Amino acid sequence: MSKNSFFKNLIEKQQILIRPNGAFEWDEMLADKETQKKIRRDPDRHIFFDYIESRFAYEHARFFDVVLRKANSSAEEYLEIRKALKHFIKENISKHSSQDAQMHAFFRWVDTAIMLRKRHNYEGYFLVRDTLMEMDINLKLTKNKAFKPHLKMYNQLVQVDATLIDEQLRADYSKIPLNDFANPDGFSKWSKASPNLKAFLENREYLETHLERDIMQVQGGARRKAFCRWIDIAINLREKHNYEGYFLVITNLRRIDGITEGKDFPKSYLKKYMQLLEHMDPSINFAKLRALWDKDHSPNKLKATFYWSKELTNLNERMEIAYNLEVQKSMLQEKNRKLAEIAKEQGVFADRTRSYSARILQYMEVKFVTVLQEYYDSLSEKATLAST
C-alpha cells in the first residue's frame, strides 16, 4: 500500500473500521463523486474495497449473533432487542440522503444476513432478511439498475428453500436439551419449555407462517406455482432425511390445499401431493410416515419431534402407573435408548457447527448502546406525536 493511498489514510489514520458510525460514513463516501475519483486512482482499490466491505458485514453479523444469543433472560427483553436491531438496520439504510448510499448499505446487509446463516444464527438471518424485504417495498432499491449485479444474491436471500429449512431445523434441534425430551411437556406447554426449545418452536412457527404467506399472498397461476414449489420442497426435505421438515411442510400445505381442487392445478403435482398426504394420515397414527423413516438408514436421519414427544410422554405415563420394579426398569431402559437416539440425531448437525466468539469489539458495544437509546427515543417521539 503506497504512502499516499486513499485506503491507507482511511484505514490507518482515520480508523474507519473501528468508528461506531464507520459503516454509515463509508456509504456516504461512496456516494460522493470526489471520493469515487480518489478510489479509482488507488491501484489497490479492489483489494481494500472488498476488505472494508467484508469487515463491516462481518462485524455486523458478529454483533447481531452475540446480542441475539445473549438476549435470553426474558421473552420481553428478547423482543425489545429484536425491535432495536430492526430499528438499527432501518436507520443504517434510510438515514442516507442519496439512493446510491442507501443501496450500498442495503447490499451490505444482504451480505450480513448470509454471514449470519453461515454462523447458524437463523433468528438473525430472518430478522435481517425480513427487514430488508419490508424496506424494499417502499425504497425499491432492488429495482434500481445499479443494483442489478447484486440482484441474484438478493433473490437467493429472500427465497426459502429446502436447504435453508433443513439447516435451520437441524441447528435448532441440536440445541434442545435432552431434558426437554425426557420431560416433554414443554412441546405443548410454553411455560415448561427451555429457552432453546422455545427458540426451536418459534423458528418452526416462523417457517409455517412464511409457507402460508408465500402461497396465499399471490393469486391464480402464481399461487399454483408457489404451492407446487412447496411440494418440491417437501420432497427435497425427505430426500435430505429431514422428517421434521417433511412433516412440517405437508401438514401446513393441508391447511390451504383448496387450490389443488381446481381444474388448472397440474395433474403431475396433484399426484405427488396425494402421495405426500398418504404419509400424514393421523387415523393410522402416521404409520406410513413411521414406516418411511424406519426404512431410512441414513446417519443424517432426523425424525419428527411430534413422534419423540408423544413416545416419551406415553412412556412416562406408563412408568408412573407401573408397580412392578422389573417393568419400571425395562421402561427406563427403553426411555434411555430413545434419548440416546435423539442425542445421536442432534450430534450429526452439532458436529458440523463451530463455536463462535461471544466477544464483540468495543466500538460495536458503544454502537449498541447508541442503537438502544435511539430506539427508545423513537418510541418516545411516536408516543408524543400520538398524544398531540
Side-chain angles (χ1 to χ4, degrees), residues 7-13 15-17 48 51-52:
F7 288 103
K8 181 179 178 66
N9 176 63
L10 192 64
I11 296 171
E12 295 182 1
K13 293 184 179 180
Q15 295 189 315
I16 188 76
L17 292 173
F48 289 102
Y51 172 70
I52 291 174

Side-chain angles (χ1 to χ4, degrees), residues 313-371:
T313 296
N314 290 340
L315 193 54
N316 287 345
E317 290 173 352
R318 284 160 48 207
M319 288 173 67
E320 286 182 4
I321 61 175
Y323 294 103
N324 186 295
L325 291 178
E326 286 300 315
V327 172
Q328 287 184 343
K329 182 180 178 181
S330 175
M331 288 181 178
L332 182 59
Q333 290 174 341
E334 183 183 352
K335 180 176 181 177
N336 288 335
R337 281 196 299 271
K338 292 182 185 299
L339 292 174
E341 188 176 345
I342 292 169
K344 184 178 179 182
E345 288 182 341
Q346 292 180 318
V348 169
F349 191 87
D351 290 344
R352 284 188 272 150
T353 63
R354 52 175 285 194
S355 297
Y356 291 94
S357 172
R359 184 181 67 86
I360 54 178
L361 298 181
Q362 184 178 4
Y363 85 92
M364 288 303 291
E365 291 182 353
V366 172
K367 183 64 181 176
F368 184 50
V369 172
T370 305
V371 167

Side-chain angles (χ1 to χ4, degrees), residues 69-86:
R69 292 187 194 280
K70 285 184 175 180
N72 283 325
S73 58
S74 72
E76 185 177 345
E77 179 196 8
Y78 180 71
L79 187 61
E80 287 301 301
I81 292 295
R82 282 180 59 89
K83 289 179 180 177
L85 292 175
K86 183 174 182 177

Side-chain angles (χ1 to χ4, degrees), residues 34-56:
E34 287 302 313
T35 302
Q36 291 172 6
K37 290 178 183 178
K38 291 178 183 178
I39 291 175
R40 283 196 294 269
R41 287 196 294 266
D42 195 311
D44 299 319
R45 61 186 179 277
H46 296 300
I47 296 172
F48 289 102
F49 183 92
D50 291 344
Y51 172 70
I52 291 174
E53 281 296 299
S54 62
R55 271 290 301 272
F56 281 135

